[in-house]
Amino acid sequence: MTRTSIDSGVGQLLYGLVPADVEVTPQARGLGDPLGPVTTIRHGDIAALVSETPLDVRLGRPEDLLAYRDLLDGVAVTAEVPVLPVRFGTVLPSTAAVTELLALRHDEYRAALVELDGRVEYVVRARYVERTLLTGVLAKEPEAADLRDRLRGRPAEADVDLRIRLGEIVARAVEAHRAADTERLTEALDPYCLAEAPLPAHHEQDAARVAFLVERRRRAAFTDAVRDLADAWRDWATVRMVGPAAPWDFVPSASGR
């Protein structure tokens, strides 16, 4: 008997939503220790990818998040199946609770899966060449250049107020550059995608970080455009691309993202 009742202390960990005709391979494994098999719970035209887990499970290790992402990226990219990722760590108390969720928002989830069919996500990140960036900031900010000259050769612990002021000017200038370069990057790749979503910077030297929703049939054109952009920006920023992946940044809020 499958343990899914509240009394047993075992629930269903949700990974994502897929069309009801999707079959999970026996090799697919969920999170936890020991790793349990991933199965589907179906209702109508949709299904939830789930695995059994203790109701008091605590997830959050880097390897947990990586396994969660790898599972759904594999569904979206390798199996070429539309998938709606569910918020990481979502656990429902029983199979019945999962079925109730699917029934409650069936049409909404089905429409979202239809919309995402044949589409994947790429994230493009540009990171400034530090020396080039600093040279550009100093050229446009006379106060920063003056402060840099006054502080040259001084001990690191000296003139704290001046160093704080210099840091503020540089940070403000970098933020302005980042806003402009995010717009430039988005405009350059917009002809090759269906949608874009600017993302928060991960590093103080990030020039831009943007997610793009791309049709599978246009993947080659999109990646070629990213390579062209990287070549054009090579003296200003290093451009990197991650993907294809599940549409993490283009999932309707209804799925719990």
Side-chain angles (χ1 to χ4, degrees):
M1 178 181 295
T2 302
R3 301 176 300 159
T4 54
S5 69
I6 297 176
D7 291 340
S8 70
V10 176
Q12 297 288 346
L13 175 62
L14 274 66
Y15 298 91
L17 308 175
V18 294
D21 59 357
V22 169
E23 297 290 343
V24 181
T25 64
Q27 292 76 29
R29 287 293 180 267
L31 308 184
D33 186 15
L35 299 179
V38 175
T39 60
T40 56
I41 297 175
R42 296 178 172 87
H43 178 81
D45 296 324
I46 60 177
L49 298 173
V50 301
S51 66
E52 286 192 349
T53 188
L55 290 173
D56 60 356
V57 65
R58 293 194 176 188
L59 301 172
R61 300 175 302 170
E63 54 265 40
D64 292 333
L65 184 57
L66 182 61
Y68 159 76
R69 294 187 68 96
D70 284 348
L71 173 67
L72 296 184
D73 285 345
V75 172
V77 179
T78 305
E80 297 191 350
V81 171
V83 58
L84 297 177
V86 172
R87 190 188 308 276
F88 175 69
T90 298
V91 177
L92 294 184
S94 65
T95 299
V98 177
T99 302
E100 182 179 350
L101 172 66
L102 299 181
L104 180 65
R105 312 191 80 156
H106 176 273
D107 292 348
E108 190 174 352
Y109 291 151
R110 180 178 59 186
L113 287 168
V114 169
E115 182 178 346
L116 292 175
D117 193 15
R119 301 171 180 185
V120 291
E121 175 175 320
Y122 288 87
V123 173
V124 179
R125 187 217 73 197
R127 183 162 293 177
Y128 291 119
V129 176
E130 184 175 10
R131 183 178 296 276
T132 304
L133 174 64
L134 183 58
T135 299
V137 169
L138 294 176
K140 292 185 177 181
E141 299 286 346
E143 183 182 357
D146 178 63
L147 288 171
R148 192 272 310 268
D149 292 340
R150 291 168 61 184
L151 291 169
R152 183 180 287 119
R154 300 280 292 164
E157 64 274 10
D159 307 305
V160 174
D161 290 344
L162 294 183
R163 294 182 187 281
I164 292 175
R165 176 58 182 161
L166 177 59
E168 291 173 344
I169 295 173
V170 172
R172 186 180 65 241
V174 170
E175 187 62 34
H177 278 298
R178 181 178 297 127
D181 287 333
T182 296
E183 185 174 351
R184 288 173 57 211
L185 184 145
T186 301
E187 288 179 351
L189 299 179
D190 183 71
Y192 307 95
C193 73
L194 296 168
E196 61 278 327
L199 303 175
H202 270 175
H203 189 277
E204 61 183 8
Q205 289 175 217
D206 278 354
R209 186 167 164 262
V210 183
F212 295 91
L213 187 65
V214 179
E215 290 182 280
R216 293 183 194 279
R217 64 183 182 86
R218 301 206 68 194
R219 283 170 51 179
F222 180 82
T223 56
D224 285 346
V226 173
R227 292 190 189 97
D228 290 343
L229 181 70
D231 184 61
W233 283 29
R234 64 182 180 275
D235 294 330
W236 176 240
T238 301
V239 177
R240 294 286 185 267
M241 178 180 66
V242 177
W248 300 98
D249 297 290
F250 300 96
V251 176
S253 60
S255 66
R257 291 293 298 168

